[in-house]
Amino acid sequence: MTRRFRRAAGASLVAASIALSVSAASAQSVPFLDTEDATLSGIDVGEGDVHPILSFDVRNGDYARGALDDDAAGLGRVPVHVAIGGAVVLRRDADGRGSVFVVGQSSNGFHAPSAEERTRPRAWYESNTIVGLAWRPVEGVTTAAAYAIKTSPNGIAATTHEASLSFLYSAKDAIGALAPRVAVTRRTKGNGGVYTIFGIAPQFALGDGESAATLTLPATVGVGWQGFYAAGAGDRVYGSTGLTLAKPVRIGGASASVQAEVLALVRDDGLRRLDAPGGTTDTIVPLATVSVTMAW
């Protein structure tokens, strides 16, 4: 083997290593916190340490934790939510994976205003902002401590504050395939009380390659303790299950996902009665959402 050939081979190996490193860095996942219940998930982003995330959705009704959320935003009032947030990688492990993150987002709900909504801006009925510190101590385990402030710009609902601890397990094993997640929330301003949620979200690829659609079967059980839902409401419980169909796409320079979700919400008698008179008191409530999420 000549010296020139050895040099060329070495250069080729170095170039290949750099290419693989760049590819691995560009295919990373960062933690994502839901503004409603503080549950954790992961979202694919590009390379680097700062990752803006933008989402938009249309729903047939606005429900959170099994109850009508803030106002009777039914399909006739066209409830639309726009959220902007992101994640910042503060620390990486020796292998380059992010291990400590600042995460957060602000989700804002708009609908056709009613006669009761007289405070401007009348159509802007909800603004929920959550900020947290997330940690991945080992691959497949994500934890987070978060604080949320929930307001109603048009004055239809009172302001509440919440502190939460969240956990997500997504390792590549039998339990991780279920993607179990847990969150415990203490309301620090508002009605008080504690809320707990446990959920799973097994996901199945509907094809080969990174552009294949996925089918997720989410199921959750939530319990509001000590009058969390309303003063004197006691302990209330609900469950939900359904399916989510998502398709990865590219929008400009962003990794994006177009998603359609259908859920059946099942509430106990006390919880469903809390929705009167503004919302339905049905035990089973069908919920449908179409959304687009973009991340950089």
Side-chain angles (χ1 to χ4, degrees):
M1 183 181 292
T2 66
R3 182 176 299 177
R4 181 177 298 177
F5 181 82
R6 287 197 299 268
R7 287 177 179 173
S12 298
L13 288 173
V14 171
S17 299
I18 293 173
L20 287 172
S21 299
V22 170
S23 176
S26 63
Q28 60 181 324
S29 170
V30 296
F32 189 69
L33 278 167
D34 188 277
T35 59
E36 298 288 6
D37 56 26
T39 50
L40 275 166
S41 59
I43 187 166
D44 293 333
V45 296
E47 58 183 311
D49 293 333
V50 180
H51 305 284
I53 300 170
L54 177 66
S55 66
F56 169 87
D57 73 62
V58 180
R59 315 175 184 182
N60 72 324
D62 193 358
Y63 282 77
R65 296 164 171 160
L68 190 67
D69 191 29
D70 290 335
D71 197 11
L75 187 59
R77 302 182 67 186
V78 197
V80 172
H81 283 71
V82 178
I84 184 170
V88 178
V89 183
L90 297 182
R91 181 180 177 182
R92 294 184 182 274
D93 292 333
D95 59 5
R97 293 188 179 92
S99 59
V100 180
F101 311 80
V102 171
V103 295
Q105 68 165 328
S106 177
S107 177
N108 298 273
F110 305 87
H111 64 188
S114 68
E116 293 79 16
E117 294 167 324
R118 296 172 182 158
T119 303
R120 296 181 181 275
R122 294 177 60 211
W124 186 8
Y125 72 94
E126 179 181 66
S127 183
N128 298 338
T129 300
I130 190 168
V131 177
L133 185 66
W135 179 39
R136 286 176 171 167
V138 295
E139 187 175 0
V141 174
T142 308
T143 64
Y147 198 83
I149 299 176
K150 302 184 176 185
T151 66
S152 184
N154 69 1
I156 202 68
T159 296
T160 60
H161 291 198
E162 298 174 356
S164 301
L165 294 175
S166 304
F167 172 85
L168 169 67
Y169 186 73
S170 57
K172 295 180 180 179
D173 56 26
I175 297 177
L178 297 175
R181 61 206 67 199
V182 179
V184 180
T185 297
R186 176 76 183 182
R187 184 166 284 154
T188 57
K189 180 179 179 179
N191 293 325
V194 175
Y195 173 80
T196 57
I197 184 172
F198 172 78
I200 59 173
Q203 188 178 90
F204 307 91
L206 303 180
D208 299 322
E210 295 181 356
S211 62
T214 59
L215 178 66
T216 304
L217 305 177
T220 61
V221 175
V223 184
W225 309 88
Q226 305 165 9
F228 181 85
Y229 286 99
D235 302 336
R236 304 266 64 92
V237 63
Y238 80 94
S240 69
T241 187
L243 57 86
T244 305
L245 184 64
K247 172 66 176 175
V249 295
R250 295 291 298 183
I251 300 178
S255 299
S257 176
V258 179
Q259 181 173 292
E261 181 176 74
V262 178
L263 297 175
L265 186 67
V266 184
R267 296 99 60 80
D268 71 9
D269 287 345
L271 185 54
R272 68 177 182 82
R273 285 196 295 267
L274 288 176
D275 282 353
T280 178
T281 56
D282 292 344
T283 299
I284 301 177
V285 180
L287 299 177
T289 305
V290 177
S291 62
V292 178
T293 301
M294 295 178 287
W296 288 264

